[in-house]
Structure formats: structure tokens, C-alpha cells
């Protein structure tokens, strides 16, 4: 009998479709005059192994990854592994990899469940967690920029956009008229021409109070202040 026939398969509550994923990511962003969408996305089912057994008549539980390394309790809780539910159709997996992961978990359990290395394993469970990796694409007019993201589908968070001009992390994006997508606070409007420019390319007129492009300004010979 193959080891896979003796294993119960589980999966935690987690997003498993693009609409569920985008509902988690898209609302975090504000894109002035544009939109955000997925420019690519890959899903991967990653394996964790749960062994339940006995040590001196006491129930024990051991979690390992697909290399037989123990999981931190924080990760078990974060991914909802303890509340995972049985699945009738497990994801496709490479038999050699799967069997090796189970064997490595059993080897580690040998020193946990019973003294002398004699294991008393009552249940072997394969718990499948979805890992997602992709790109968010922000488009404003003909300008676009990609932002990579990755993480467990259950816990993935929208990453901030790092403005190439200011270095600031932001979730509010805007574009200049020459096609640069920046932190919205780094973009301003010339009140004379209506052009959208980098904010540091704008100067406020000391006489009219209008904010305008630097090339439209001069300096008052008496005050030294910028004026249109």
C-alpha cells in the first residue's frame, strides 16, 4: 500500500480563487485617474504534515514542513492549520516528494511520541496551504508600473508601492503628464497650464499665491521672491 493511501488530506480556510484574492488586495489602493489589476498570478499548494500519537499515554501532536522541519506554533495558528477540514480530492503532488515528506515527519516523531525512538503514530495528515505569487499592475493613461506580491493566500497583505522619486511607501498613486507613476503627494498641478508635474517642479507665486511650473517663474528684484 502506498503511503498516500494511509494519509488523510486537509486544507484550512483560505482564498482559492482570483476574485477572493483581488478582494483582499485591490481595495487597499487609490489610483488617481487609473486602475489596478492582476498582471499575473501563480498558485502553489504547499504541504505540511501533522502527526498525532502517544507518549506515555498522553496525546501528542507534531507539525512539520515538507522537509521534516518542525513548525512554529505561531505559523500553525496564523495559517489556521489546527482548524483545517478534510478534503476529498487532494491537489496533485509528486509521489516521491510526498512520500519523502511523510517519512521525514515520522523520523522526527520518533524522538517525540515515545522513548527509545519507537513511535506510536495514530494519524498522519497532509495539510495543504495555498501560496500565491504575482504582480499588481497600476495603469494611469498610457503609463503603467508593476508591483510584485507573494505570501500565503490566507494571510497575504497588499504591499505598499515605493515611490521611485521620494522613496516613500504609499497606497495612493498618481501620474505626471510625462508618464511617471508616483506617490500621489509627489504629484502637483500647475495652476497656469493645468499640467500634472512632480511636486518639486512647482513653485508658489508670492504675489498671486498660484502654484506653477518653475519655468514660468521669475524673481522680484525688490523682494527676491518668486513671481509669475
Amino acid at each position: 500500500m502506498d503511503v498516500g493511501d494511509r494519509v488523510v488530506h486537509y486544507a484550512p480556510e483560505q482564498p482559492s480563487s482570483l476574485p477572493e484574492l483581488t478582494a483582499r488586495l485591490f481595495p487597499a489602493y487609490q489610483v488617481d485617474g487609473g486602475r489596478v489589476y492582476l498582471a499575473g498570478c501563480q498558485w502553489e499548494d504547499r504541504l505540511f504534515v501533522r502527526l498525532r500519537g502517544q507518549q506515555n499515554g498522553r496525546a501528542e501532536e507534531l507539525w512539520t514542513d515538507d522537509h521534516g522541519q518542525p513548525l512554529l506554533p505561531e505559523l500553525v495558528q496564523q495559517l489556521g492549520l489546527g482548524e483545517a477540514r478534510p478534503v476529498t480530492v487532494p491537489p496533485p503532488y509528486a509521489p516521491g516528494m510526498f512520500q519523502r515528506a511523510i517519512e521525514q515527519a515520522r523520523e522526527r516523531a520518533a524522538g517525540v511520541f515515545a522513548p527509545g525512538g519507537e513511535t506510536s503514530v495514530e494519524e498522519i495528515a497532509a495539510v495543504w496551504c495555498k501560496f500565491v505569487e504575482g504582480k499588481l499592475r497600476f495603469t494611469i493613461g498610457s503609463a503603467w508600473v508593476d508591483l510584485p506580491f507573494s505570501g500565503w493566500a490566507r494571510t497575504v497583505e497588499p504591499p505598499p508601492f515605493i515611490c521611485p522619486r521620494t522613496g516613500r511607501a504609499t497606497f495612493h498613486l498618481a501620474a505626471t503628464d510625462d508618464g511617471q507613476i508616483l506617490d500621489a503627494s509627489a504629484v502637483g498641478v500647475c495652476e497656469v497650464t493645468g499640467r500634472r508635474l512632480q511636486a518639486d517642479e512647482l513653485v508658489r507665486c508670492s504675489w498671486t499665491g498660484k502654484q506653477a511650473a518653475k519655468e514660468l517663474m521669475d524673481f522680484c528684484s525688490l523682494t527676491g521672491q518668486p513671481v509669475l
Side-chain angles (χ1 to χ4, degrees), residues 4 19 45 58 63 77 99 115 122 124 133 141 158 162 172 209 211:
D45 288 291
R58 184 179 62 192
W63 287 93
Q77 181 177 9
Q99 184 164 356
E122 297 175 347
I124 305 175
E133 186 173 6
I162 306 301
H172 186 184
Q211 186 171 252

Side-chain angles (χ1 to χ4, degrees), residues 86-152:
V87 294
T88 54
V89 181
Y93 54 84
M97 176 277 293
F98 182 79
Q99 184 164 356
R100 185 166 58 252
I102 299 299
E103 290 173 351
Q104 289 172 333
R106 292 188 68 115
E107 289 173 5
R108 185 165 291 275
V112 176
F113 292 157
E118 295 180 2
T119 61
S120 176
V121 177
E122 297 175 347
E123 182 191 68
I124 305 175
V127 183
W128 299 93
C129 289
K130 292 187 179 296
F131 191 88
V132 63
E133 186 173 6
K135 292 179 182 177
L136 297 171
R137 177 162 294 178
F138 303 95
T139 62
I140 304 176
S142 60
W144 60 271
V145 65
D146 285 346
L147 178 63
F149 68 90
S150 64
W152 298 106

Side-chain angles (χ1 to χ4, degrees), residues 1 3 15 30 41 49 52 56 59 69 97 127 179 181 202 207 217 224:
M1 180 183 296
V3 67
Q30 180 179 342
C41 185
V49 180
R52 286 177 174 168
N56 299 325
Q69 297 302 309
M97 176 277 293
V127 183
I181 296 181
L202 299 170
W207 179 255
M217 294 290 179

Side-chain angles (χ1 to χ4, degrees), residues 15-55:
S16 58
S17 67
L18 289 180
E20 290 177 291
L21 181 64
T22 56
R24 179 187 291 273
L25 298 176
F26 287 3
Y29 301 98
Q30 180 179 342
V31 186
D32 293 352
R35 60 186 289 257
V36 56
Y37 62 95
L38 281 177
C41 185
Q42 292 183 332
W43 299 78
E44 180 186 357
D45 288 291
R46 295 191 177 179
L47 171 64
F48 296 110
V49 180
R50 182 187 69 199
L51 299 178
R52 286 177 174 168
Q54 296 286 328
Q55 181 182 25

Side-chain angles (χ1 to χ4, degrees), residues 146-216:
D146 285 346
L147 178 63
F149 68 90
S150 64
W152 298 106
R154 180 182 171 96
T155 60
V156 66
E157 296 289 339
F161 173 77
I162 306 301
C163 177
R165 182 70 178 182
T166 66
R168 287 194 295 263
T170 185
F171 292 90
H172 186 184
L173 289 73
T176 60
D177 282 356
D178 62 358
Q180 298 182 75
I181 296 181
L182 307 171
D183 172 12
S185 66
V187 177
V189 178
C190 175
E191 296 181 67
V192 176
T193 65
R195 293 177 60 213
R196 297 179 66 82
L197 304 170
Q198 295 178 24
D200 58 8
E201 295 178 347
L202 299 170
V203 177
R204 191 167 298 280
C205 173
S206 61
W207 179 255
T208 65
K210 289 185 176 181
Q211 186 171 252
K214 288 179 179 178
E215 62 265 24
L216 301 179

